[in-house]
Amino acid sequence: GEWGGEEDTVQSMLYHPHTGEFSEHFAHYNDQMEENNHLVDTDRRVVTIGTFGWNVPMGLTWQWRSKRMAEGFLYGKVDNRGQFTGEDITYVYPDFLTGLRGKFVHGVLEEATAVDIIGERCMGGKKELLIKPAARDSSVVWEKDEKSHWHIGKNPLVMDPYESKSVYVGNSQVPGSDEGLFARRPFLPGDIVSLFSGTKTFASNMFFNNMTDVEISNAGSYYFNLAANVPEWWGYPEDMVLDVPEQYRSIYQFRTTLGHKANHLFEGKNTEYDTVNHPVHGGIVCLIATSPIQADEEVYVDYLYDVDDAEPWYRELYYRTYPDKE
């Protein structure tokens, strides 16, 4: 092709979701998270790669959904305002193999179906993807689906497309544990191994004065302090928790995400909890690999309970693991 065409104007700029404006991007300089921590970082500008005219992207464009790989990417042809609004936008998961393609408005998923990314090429300085309907569950429609105390999601028996490639439930190697979580594919440190969604509720909806200790420990055995572990601008009320209530703890009732199935270890754990802003489930918990994990290896995480308040099994294991703490 001729020089001076589109090829030489591919560039990256920072998009500010509040103002809708694009500003200059200096890689590894003004795109970094404050203290490398998404909880304290307040700068919401995200990297956008495309062909810009008058500081607005045109045609095929890529955009990070945050400063972290974990939140994935938007990919597709932007509208005439440079927005990811249209019927053929793809959310690309951080594995670059999996996506949700369909209707987005200003980068927010309205309805989409699972896709597999089966190839890529560089065209005019942009990464172009070859996308086809997913091998599994490609007819299931996903919508942005904020959970509530009563609602765990519209597709409770369909696995999230990333999750279905990542993990499965099997018989745990932890003595006394029944089920455990296992890797379906290899992971490197920093990768999302498993997602952990559920209902979004408050402790006041879960615990009542007339409960026995057993009822209290059962009610609280799967909940996570969500609001305390997400950035304020995600917009969750101060005391909000994520929970997998008793009626959803079997994979025959709920299997969209399986992160709640990982068993606890103090030493030898290979993941840690983090939070991620998912295009369907909103703010949820996830398990991030802390060491390399092979396919079919069991996934472990430290539950981070307060030892003094914890279940007897947890206290016992704690003092067995750290005898000098007694």
Short mmCIF file of all heavy atoms in Angstrom, two decimals, residues 228-282:
data_model
loop_
_atom_site.label_atom_id
_atom_site.label_comp_id
_atom_site.label_asym_id
_atom_site.label_seq_id
_atom_site.Cartn_x
_atom_site.Cartn_y
_atom_site.Cartn_z
N ALA A 228 -14.68 -4.18 50.83
CA ALA A 228 -13.39 -3.83 51.46
C ALA A 228 -12.22 -4.14 50.53
O ALA A 228 -11.10 -3.70 50.77
CB ALA A 228 -13.23 -4.61 52.76
N ASN A 229 -12.46 -4.90 49.46
CA ASN A 229 -11.37 -5.35 48.59
C ASN A 229 -11.53 -4.93 47.14
O ASN A 229 -10.90 -5.51 46.25
CB ASN A 229 -11.26 -6.88 48.68
CG ASN A 229 -10.76 -7.33 50.04
OD1 ASN A 229 -9.59 -7.22 50.35
ND2 ASN A 229 -11.68 -7.81 50.87
N VAL A 230 -12.38 -3.92 46.89
CA VAL A 230 -12.50 -3.38 45.54
C VAL A 230 -12.34 -1.87 45.58
O VAL A 230 -12.56 -1.25 46.62
CB VAL A 230 -13.86 -3.74 44.88
CG1 VAL A 230 -14.07 -5.24 44.81
CG2 VAL A 230 -15.02 -3.05 45.57
N PRO A 231 -11.95 -1.25 44.46
CA PRO A 231 -11.83 0.22 44.43
C PRO A 231 -13.18 0.86 44.69
O PRO A 231 -14.22 0.33 44.29
CB PRO A 231 -11.36 0.51 42.99
CG PRO A 231 -10.86 -0.78 42.45
CD PRO A 231 -11.58 -1.87 43.17
N GLU A 232 -13.15 2.02 45.33
CA GLU A 232 -14.39 2.72 45.64
C GLU A 232 -15.22 3.02 44.40
O GLU A 232 -16.45 2.94 44.41
CB GLU A 232 -14.07 4.04 46.34
CG GLU A 232 -14.29 3.98 47.84
CD GLU A 232 -13.83 5.27 48.52
OE1 GLU A 232 -14.22 6.35 48.03
OE2 GLU A 232 -13.09 5.18 49.51
N TRP A 233 -14.54 3.37 43.31
CA TRP A 233 -15.29 3.80 42.12
C TRP A 233 -16.04 2.66 41.44
O TRP A 233 -16.86 2.90 40.55
CB TRP A 233 -14.38 4.55 41.15
CG TRP A 233 -13.22 3.79 40.58
CD1 TRP A 233 -11.95 3.77 41.06
CD2 TRP A 233 -13.21 2.96 39.42
NE1 TRP A 233 -11.15 2.98 40.29
CE2 TRP A 233 -11.90 2.47 39.26
CE3 TRP A 233 -14.19 2.58 38.49
CZ2 TRP A 233 -11.53 1.62 38.22
CZ3 TRP A 233 -13.82 1.73 37.45
CH2 TRP A 233 -12.50 1.26 37.33
N TRP A 234 -15.82 1.40 41.87
CA TRP A 234 -16.66 0.33 41.35
C TRP A 234 -18.09 0.47 41.85
O TRP A 234 -19.01 -0.13 41.32
CB TRP A 234 -16.11 -1.05 41.74
CG TRP A 234 -14.88 -1.44 40.99
CD1 TRP A 234 -14.11 -0.66 40.17
CD2 TRP A 234 -14.25 -2.74 40.98
NE1 TRP A 234 -13.05 -1.37 39.67
CE2 TRP A 234 -13.11 -2.65 40.15
CE3 TRP A 234 -14.54 -3.95 41.61
CZ2 TRP A 234 -12.27 -3.74 39.92
CZ3 TRP A 234 -13.70 -5.03 41.39
CH2 TRP A 234 -12.57 -4.92 40.54
N GLY A 235 -18.25 1.24 42.96
CA GLY A 235 -19.58 1.65 43.36
C GLY A 235 -20.34 0.68 44.25
O GLY A 235 -21.56 0.73 44.31
N TYR A 236 -19.64 -0.18 44.98
CA TYR A 236 -20.36 -1.10 45.87
C TYR A 236 -20.50 -0.50 47.26
O TYR A 236 -19.56 0.10 47.77
CB TYR A 236 -19.64 -2.46 45.92
CG TYR A 236 -19.76 -3.17 44.60
CD1 TYR A 236 -18.69 -3.24 43.71
CD2 TYR A 236 -20.98 -3.71 44.21
CE1 TYR A 236 -18.83 -3.84 42.47
CE2 TYR A 236 -21.12 -4.32 42.97
CZ TYR A 236 -20.05 -4.38 42.10
OH TYR A 236 -20.19 -4.96 40.87
N PRO A 237 -21.69 -0.68 47.88
CA PRO A 237 -21.88 -0.12 49.22
C PRO A 237 -20.87 -0.69 50.21
O PRO A 237 -20.39 -1.81 50.06
CB PRO A 237 -23.30 -0.57 49.60
CG PRO A 237 -23.94 -1.03 48.34
CD PRO A 237 -22.86 -1.38 47.39
N GLU A 238 -20.60 0.11 51.23
CA GLU A 238 -19.48 -0.12 52.14
C GLU A 238 -19.39 -1.55 52.70
O GLU A 238 -18.31 -2.11 52.76
CB GLU A 238 -19.59 0.87 53.29
CG GLU A 238 -18.28 1.09 54.00
CD GLU A 238 -18.42 2.14 55.08
OE1 GLU A 238 -19.17 3.11 54.86
OE2 GLU A 238 -17.78 1.98 56.13
N ASP A 239 -20.50 -2.15 53.11
CA ASP A 239 -20.41 -3.44 53.79
C ASP A 239 -20.76 -4.62 52.90
O ASP A 239 -21.02 -5.72 53.39
CB ASP A 239 -21.34 -3.46 55.01
CG ASP A 239 -20.99 -2.36 55.98
OD1 ASP A 239 -19.78 -2.10 56.14
OD2 ASP A 239 -21.90 -1.73 56.55
N MET A 240 -20.81 -4.39 51.60
CA MET A 240 -21.30 -5.46 50.71
C MET A 240 -20.35 -6.65 50.71
O MET A 240 -19.13 -6.50 50.67
CB MET A 240 -21.50 -4.93 49.31
CG MET A 240 -22.08 -5.98 48.37
SD MET A 240 -22.79 -5.23 46.88
CE MET A 240 -24.50 -5.03 47.40
N VAL A 241 -20.95 -7.85 50.76
CA VAL A 241 -20.17 -9.09 50.69
C VAL A 241 -20.62 -9.90 49.49
O VAL A 241 -21.72 -9.73 48.97
CB VAL A 241 -20.32 -9.94 51.99
CG1 VAL A 241 -19.85 -9.17 53.20
CG2 VAL A 241 -21.76 -10.43 52.17
N LEU A 242 -19.72 -10.78 49.05
CA LEU A 242 -20.06 -11.75 48.02
C LEU A 242 -20.26 -13.08 48.74
O LEU A 242 -19.47 -13.44 49.61
CB LEU A 242 -18.90 -11.86 47.02
CG LEU A 242 -19.17 -12.79 45.85
CD1 LEU A 242 -19.36 -11.96 44.59
CD2 LEU A 242 -18.03 -13.75 45.64
N ASP A 243 -21.31 -13.80 48.38
CA ASP A 243 -21.62 -15.03 49.10
C ASP A 243 -22.10 -16.11 48.13
O ASP A 243 -22.70 -15.80 47.11
CB ASP A 243 -22.73 -14.75 50.14
CG ASP A 243 -23.06 -15.98 50.98
OD1 ASP A 243 -22.11 -16.69 51.38
OD2 ASP A 243 -24.25 -16.23 51.22
N VAL A 244 -21.78 -17.35 48.45
CA VAL A 244 -22.42 -18.47 47.77
C VAL A 244 -23.33 -19.13 48.80
O VAL A 244 -22.86 -19.86 49.67
CB VAL A 244 -21.39 -19.48 47.22
CG1 VAL A 244 -22.10 -20.62 46.49
CG2 VAL A 244 -20.41 -18.79 46.27
N PRO A 245 -24.63 -18.81 48.76
CA PRO A 245 -25.54 -19.31 49.79
C PRO A 245 -25.69 -20.83 49.70
O PRO A 245 -25.39 -21.44 48.66
CB PRO A 245 -26.87 -18.63 49.46
CG PRO A 245 -26.59 -17.61 48.42
CD PRO A 245 -25.31 -17.98 47.76
N GLU A 246 -26.19 -21.39 50.79
CA GLU A 246 -26.23 -22.84 50.93
C GLU A 246 -26.89 -23.55 49.74
O GLU A 246 -26.41 -24.57 49.26
CB GLU A 246 -26.97 -23.20 52.22
CG GLU A 246 -26.61 -24.57 52.71
CD GLU A 246 -27.06 -24.82 54.15
OE1 GLU A 246 -27.55 -23.87 54.81
OE2 GLU A 246 -26.91 -25.95 54.60
N GLN A 247 -27.97 -22.96 49.21
CA GLN A 247 -28.69 -23.66 48.14
C GLN A 247 -27.93 -23.66 46.82
O GLN A 247 -28.35 -24.31 45.86
CB GLN A 247 -30.10 -23.07 47.95
CG GLN A 247 -30.15 -21.65 47.38
CD GLN A 247 -30.13 -20.58 48.46
OE1 GLN A 247 -29.54 -20.78 49.52
NE2 GLN A 247 -30.78 -19.45 48.20
N TYR A 248 -26.81 -22.93 46.75
CA TYR A 248 -26.03 -22.88 45.50
C TYR A 248 -24.65 -23.53 45.62
O TYR A 248 -23.82 -23.39 44.74
CB TYR A 248 -25.85 -21.43 45.05
CG TYR A 248 -27.13 -20.78 44.58
CD1 TYR A 248 -27.66 -19.68 45.25
CD2 TYR A 248 -27.81 -21.27 43.46
CE1 TYR A 248 -28.83 -19.08 44.83
CE2 TYR A 248 -28.98 -20.67 43.02
CZ TYR A 248 -29.49 -19.59 43.70
OH TYR A 248 -30.65 -18.99 43.28
N ARG A 249 -24.41 -24.23 46.72
CA ARG A 249 -23.03 -24.71 46.93
C ARG A 249 -22.72 -25.99 46.17
O ARG A 249 -21.56 -26.40 46.08
CB ARG A 249 -22.76 -24.88 48.42
CG ARG A 249 -22.69 -23.51 49.10
CD ARG A 249 -22.54 -23.57 50.59
NE ARG A 249 -22.74 -22.24 51.17
CZ ARG A 249 -22.86 -22.00 52.46
NH1 ARG A 249 -22.82 -23.02 53.33
NH2 ARG A 249 -23.04 -20.78 52.90
N SER A 250 -23.72 -26.63 45.62
CA SER A 250 -23.48 -27.81 44.78
C SER A 250 -23.30 -27.35 43.34
O SER A 250 -24.01 -26.44 42.87
CB SER A 250 -24.67 -28.76 44.87
OG SER A 250 -24.75 -29.54 43.69
N ILE A 251 -22.39 -27.99 42.61
CA ILE A 251 -22.21 -27.61 41.20
C ILE A 251 -23.45 -27.95 40.37
O ILE A 251 -23.57 -27.50 39.24
CB ILE A 251 -20.94 -28.24 40.57
CG1 ILE A 251 -20.98 -29.76 40.68
CG2 ILE A 251 -19.68 -27.67 41.19
CD1 ILE A 251 -19.88 -30.44 39.87
N TYR A 252 -24.36 -28.73 40.94
CA TYR A 252 -25.61 -29.02 40.22
C TYR A 252 -26.62 -27.88 40.37
O TYR A 252 -27.64 -27.86 39.70
CB TYR A 252 -26.20 -30.36 40.68
CG TYR A 252 -25.19 -31.47 40.48
CD1 TYR A 252 -24.53 -32.05 41.55
CD2 TYR A 252 -24.86 -31.88 39.19
CE1 TYR A 252 -23.57 -33.03 41.35
CE2 TYR A 252 -23.90 -32.85 38.97
CZ TYR A 252 -23.25 -33.42 40.05
OH TYR A 252 -22.29 -34.38 39.84
N GLN A 253 -26.33 -26.93 41.27
CA GLN A 253 -27.20 -25.77 41.43
C GLN A 253 -26.56 -24.49 40.86
O GLN A 253 -27.24 -23.61 40.40
CB GLN A 253 -27.49 -25.52 42.93
CG GLN A 253 -28.80 -26.11 43.42
CD GLN A 253 -28.80 -27.62 43.39
OE1 GLN A 253 -27.93 -28.25 43.99
NE2 GLN A 253 -29.76 -28.21 42.70
N PHE A 254 -25.23 -24.43 40.95
CA PHE A 254 -24.52 -23.22 40.50
C PHE A 254 -23.11 -23.60 40.07
O PHE A 254 -22.35 -24.18 40.85
CB PHE A 254 -24.45 -22.20 41.65
CG PHE A 254 -23.58 -21.00 41.36
CD1 PHE A 254 -23.93 -20.09 40.38
CD2 PHE A 254 -22.39 -20.79 42.06
CE1 PHE A 254 -23.12 -18.99 40.10
CE2 PHE A 254 -21.58 -19.70 41.79
CZ PHE A 254 -21.94 -18.80 40.81
N ARG A 255 -22.79 -23.30 38.82
CA ARG A 255 -21.43 -23.60 38.34
C ARG A 255 -20.90 -22.56 37.35
O ARG A 255 -19.99 -22.83 36.58
CB ARG A 255 -21.36 -25.01 37.75
CG ARG A 255 -22.38 -25.33 36.67
CD ARG A 255 -22.07 -26.71 36.07
NE ARG A 255 -23.08 -27.14 35.13
CZ ARG A 255 -24.14 -27.89 35.42
NH1 ARG A 255 -24.36 -28.27 36.67
NH2 ARG A 255 -25.01 -28.25 34.49
N THR A 256 -21.49 -21.36 37.39
CA THR A 256 -20.98 -20.30 36.51
C THR A 256 -19.51 -20.04 36.79
O THR A 256 -18.70 -19.90 35.89
CB THR A 256 -21.79 -19.01 36.71
OG1 THR A 256 -23.18 -19.31 36.60
CG2 THR A 256 -21.42 -17.97 35.68
N THR A 257 -19.17 -19.96 38.08
CA THR A 257 -17.78 -19.83 38.50
C THR A 257 -17.55 -20.85 39.62
O THR A 257 -18.49 -21.23 40.32
CB THR A 257 -17.48 -18.42 39.03
OG1 THR A 257 -18.31 -18.16 40.17
CG2 THR A 257 -17.74 -17.36 37.96
N LEU A 258 -16.29 -21.26 39.78
CA LEU A 258 -15.99 -22.35 40.72
C LEU A 258 -14.95 -21.98 41.77
O LEU A 258 -14.50 -22.84 42.52
CB LEU A 258 -15.52 -23.60 39.96
CG LEU A 258 -16.54 -24.22 38.99
CD1 LEU A 258 -15.90 -25.37 38.21
CD2 LEU A 258 -17.78 -24.70 39.74
N GLY A 259 -14.56 -20.71 41.84
CA GLY A 259 -13.50 -20.31 42.76
C GLY A 259 -13.78 -20.67 44.22
O GLY A 259 -12.86 -20.86 45.01
N HIS A 260 -15.07 -20.78 44.56
CA HIS A 260 -15.44 -21.10 45.95
C HIS A 260 -15.14 -22.56 46.28
O HIS A 260 -15.25 -22.97 47.43
CB HIS A 260 -16.92 -20.80 46.19
CG HIS A 260 -17.86 -21.58 45.32
ND1 HIS A 260 -17.97 -21.34 43.97
CD2 HIS A 260 -18.71 -22.60 45.60
CE1 HIS A 260 -18.87 -22.18 43.46
NE2 HIS A 260 -19.33 -22.96 44.43
N LYS A 261 -14.76 -23.36 45.28
CA LYS A 261 -14.48 -24.79 45.50
C LYS A 261 -13.02 -25.06 45.86
O LYS A 261 -12.65 -26.20 46.16
CB LYS A 261 -14.84 -25.60 44.26
CG LYS A 261 -16.34 -25.68 43.99
CD LYS A 261 -17.04 -26.51 45.04
CE LYS A 261 -18.53 -26.67 44.78
NZ LYS A 261 -19.21 -27.37 45.88
N ALA A 262 -12.17 -24.03 45.80
CA ALA A 262 -10.74 -24.24 46.12
C ALA A 262 -10.57 -24.51 47.61
O ALA A 262 -11.19 -23.83 48.45
CB ALA A 262 -9.93 -23.03 45.72
N ASN A 263 -9.76 -25.47 47.96
CA ASN A 263 -9.51 -25.78 49.37
C ASN A 263 -8.38 -24.94 49.94
O ASN A 263 -7.56 -24.38 49.21
CB ASN A 263 -9.24 -27.27 49.55
CG ASN A 263 -10.53 -28.07 49.52
OD1 ASN A 263 -11.53 -27.67 50.10
ND2 ASN A 263 -10.52 -29.19 48.83
N HIS A 264 -8.34 -24.91 51.27
CA HIS A 264 -7.41 -24.05 52.00
C HIS A 264 -6.10 -24.78 52.30
O HIS A 264 -6.09 -25.94 52.68
CB HIS A 264 -8.06 -23.63 53.33
CG HIS A 264 -7.08 -23.06 54.29
ND1 HIS A 264 -6.70 -21.74 54.27
CD2 HIS A 264 -6.35 -23.65 55.28
CE1 HIS A 264 -5.80 -21.54 55.22
NE2 HIS A 264 -5.57 -22.67 55.84
N LEU A 265 -4.99 -24.06 52.14
CA LEU A 265 -3.68 -24.50 52.66
C LEU A 265 -2.94 -23.27 53.14
O LEU A 265 -3.00 -22.21 52.50
CB LEU A 265 -2.84 -25.18 51.58
CG LEU A 265 -3.02 -26.67 51.26
CD1 LEU A 265 -1.92 -27.09 50.29
CD2 LEU A 265 -2.95 -27.54 52.52
N PHE A 266 -2.20 -23.40 54.24
CA PHE A 266 -1.32 -22.30 54.65
C PHE A 266 -0.02 -22.34 53.86
O PHE A 266 0.41 -21.36 53.27
CB PHE A 266 -0.99 -22.41 56.15
CG PHE A 266 -2.15 -22.09 57.04
CD1 PHE A 266 -2.76 -23.08 57.79
CD2 PHE A 266 -2.63 -20.79 57.14
CE1 PHE A 266 -3.82 -22.79 58.63
CE2 PHE A 266 -3.70 -20.48 57.97
CZ PHE A 266 -4.29 -21.50 58.71
N GLU A 267 0.62 -23.52 53.87
CA GLU A 267 1.88 -23.68 53.14
C GLU A 267 1.60 -24.57 51.94
O GLU A 267 0.95 -25.60 52.08
CB GLU A 267 2.93 -24.34 54.04
CG GLU A 267 3.27 -23.54 55.30
CD GLU A 267 4.01 -22.26 54.99
OE1 GLU A 267 4.78 -22.24 54.01
OE2 GLU A 267 3.81 -21.26 55.69
N GLY A 268 2.09 -24.17 50.77
CA GLY A 268 1.83 -24.99 49.60
C GLY A 268 0.66 -24.48 48.79
O GLY A 268 0.29 -25.06 47.77
N LYS A 269 0.06 -23.36 49.23
CA LYS A 269 -1.00 -22.76 48.39
C LYS A 269 -0.37 -22.25 47.09
O LYS A 269 0.80 -21.87 47.06
CB LYS A 269 -1.69 -21.63 49.14
CG LYS A 269 -0.73 -20.52 49.56
CD LYS A 269 -1.43 -19.42 50.33
CE LYS A 269 -0.46 -18.34 50.76
NZ LYS A 269 0.37 -18.71 51.90
N ASN A 270 -1.16 -22.25 46.02
CA ASN A 270 -0.62 -21.80 44.73
C ASN A 270 -1.42 -20.65 44.12
O ASN A 270 -1.17 -20.24 43.00
CB ASN A 270 -0.52 -22.98 43.74
CG ASN A 270 -1.80 -23.81 43.71
OD1 ASN A 270 -2.87 -23.34 44.12
ND2 ASN A 270 -1.70 -25.04 43.21
N THR A 271 -2.41 -20.14 44.88
CA THR A 271 -3.15 -18.96 44.42
C THR A 271 -3.40 -18.02 45.60
O THR A 271 -3.19 -18.39 46.75
CB THR A 271 -4.53 -19.33 43.82
OG1 THR A 271 -5.36 -19.85 44.86
CG2 THR A 271 -4.41 -20.33 42.68
N GLU A 272 -3.87 -16.80 45.27
CA GLU A 272 -4.32 -15.89 46.31
C GLU A 272 -5.56 -15.17 45.80
O GLU A 272 -5.80 -15.08 44.59
CB GLU A 272 -3.23 -14.88 46.67
CG GLU A 272 -2.83 -13.97 45.52
CD GLU A 272 -1.61 -13.10 45.84
OE1 GLU A 272 -0.97 -13.32 46.89
OE2 GLU A 272 -1.30 -12.22 45.02
N TYR A 273 -6.36 -14.67 46.74
CA TYR A 273 -7.57 -13.95 46.37
C TYR A 273 -7.24 -12.56 45.82
O TYR A 273 -6.33 -11.89 46.28
CB TYR A 273 -8.49 -13.77 47.58
CG TYR A 273 -9.11 -15.03 48.10
CD1 TYR A 273 -8.88 -15.45 49.41
CD2 TYR A 273 -9.94 -15.80 47.30
CE1 TYR A 273 -9.47 -16.61 49.91
CE2 TYR A 273 -10.54 -16.96 47.78
CZ TYR A 273 -10.30 -17.36 49.09
OH TYR A 273 -10.88 -18.50 49.57
N ASP A 274 -8.02 -12.16 44.83
CA ASP A 274 -8.00 -10.78 44.36
C ASP A 274 -9.42 -10.47 43.90
O ASP A 274 -10.30 -11.32 43.99
CB ASP A 274 -6.99 -10.62 43.21
CG ASP A 274 -6.55 -9.17 43.02
OD1 ASP A 274 -7.16 -8.25 43.62
OD2 ASP A 274 -5.60 -8.94 42.24
N THR A 275 -9.63 -9.26 43.40
CA THR A 275 -10.94 -8.93 42.86
C THR A 275 -10.79 -8.49 41.42
O THR A 275 -9.73 -8.00 41.01
CB THR A 275 -11.61 -7.80 43.68
OG1 THR A 275 -10.68 -6.71 43.83
CG2 THR A 275 -12.03 -8.31 45.05
N VAL A 276 -11.86 -8.69 40.63
CA VAL A 276 -11.80 -8.35 39.22
C VAL A 276 -13.17 -7.81 38.81
O VAL A 276 -14.20 -8.22 39.34
CB VAL A 276 -11.40 -9.60 38.38
CG1 VAL A 276 -12.46 -10.68 38.44
CG2 VAL A 276 -11.09 -9.22 36.94
N ASN A 277 -13.16 -6.85 37.90
CA ASN A 277 -14.40 -6.26 37.41
C ASN A 277 -14.77 -6.98 36.11
O ASN A 277 -14.17 -6.73 35.07
CB ASN A 277 -14.19 -4.76 37.18
CG ASN A 277 -15.50 -4.01 37.09
OD1 ASN A 277 -16.57 -4.61 37.03
ND2 ASN A 277 -15.42 -2.70 37.07
N HIS A 278 -15.75 -7.86 36.19
CA HIS A 278 -16.09 -8.76 35.08
C HIS A 278 -17.23 -8.14 34.26
O HIS A 278 -18.14 -7.56 34.83
CB HIS A 278 -16.51 -10.11 35.68
CG HIS A 278 -16.71 -11.20 34.69
ND1 HIS A 278 -17.79 -11.27 33.86
CD2 HIS A 278 -15.94 -12.30 34.41
CE1 HIS A 278 -17.69 -12.36 33.11
NE2 HIS A 278 -16.58 -12.99 33.42
N PRO A 279 -17.18 -8.26 32.93
CA PRO A 279 -18.20 -7.59 32.10
C PRO A 279 -19.62 -8.11 32.33
O PRO A 279 -20.59 -7.39 32.10
CB PRO A 279 -17.75 -7.87 30.67
CG PRO A 279 -16.85 -9.04 30.76
CD PRO A 279 -16.19 -8.97 32.10
N VAL A 280 -19.75 -9.36 32.78
CA VAL A 280 -21.07 -9.91 33.07
C VAL A 280 -21.40 -9.80 34.55
O VAL A 280 -22.46 -9.31 34.94
CB VAL A 280 -21.16 -11.40 32.63
CG1 VAL A 280 -22.47 -12.03 33.11
CG2 VAL A 280 -21.02 -11.53 31.12
N HIS A 281 -20.49 -10.27 35.40
CA HIS A 281 -20.80 -10.43 36.82
C HIS A 281 -20.48 -9.20 37.66
O HIS A 281 -20.76 -9.18 38.86
CB HIS A 281 -20.03 -11.63 37.40
CG HIS A 281 -20.06 -12.84 36.51
ND1 HIS A 281 -21.24 -13.44 36.15
CD2 HIS A 281 -19.07 -13.53 35.90
CE1 HIS A 281 -20.96 -14.47 35.35
NE2 HIS A 281 -19.66 -14.54 35.18
N GLY A 282 -19.87 -8.18 37.05
CA GLY A 282 -19.48 -7.00 37.82
C GLY A 282 -18.30 -7.31 38.72
O GLY A 282 -17.47 -8.17 38.41
#
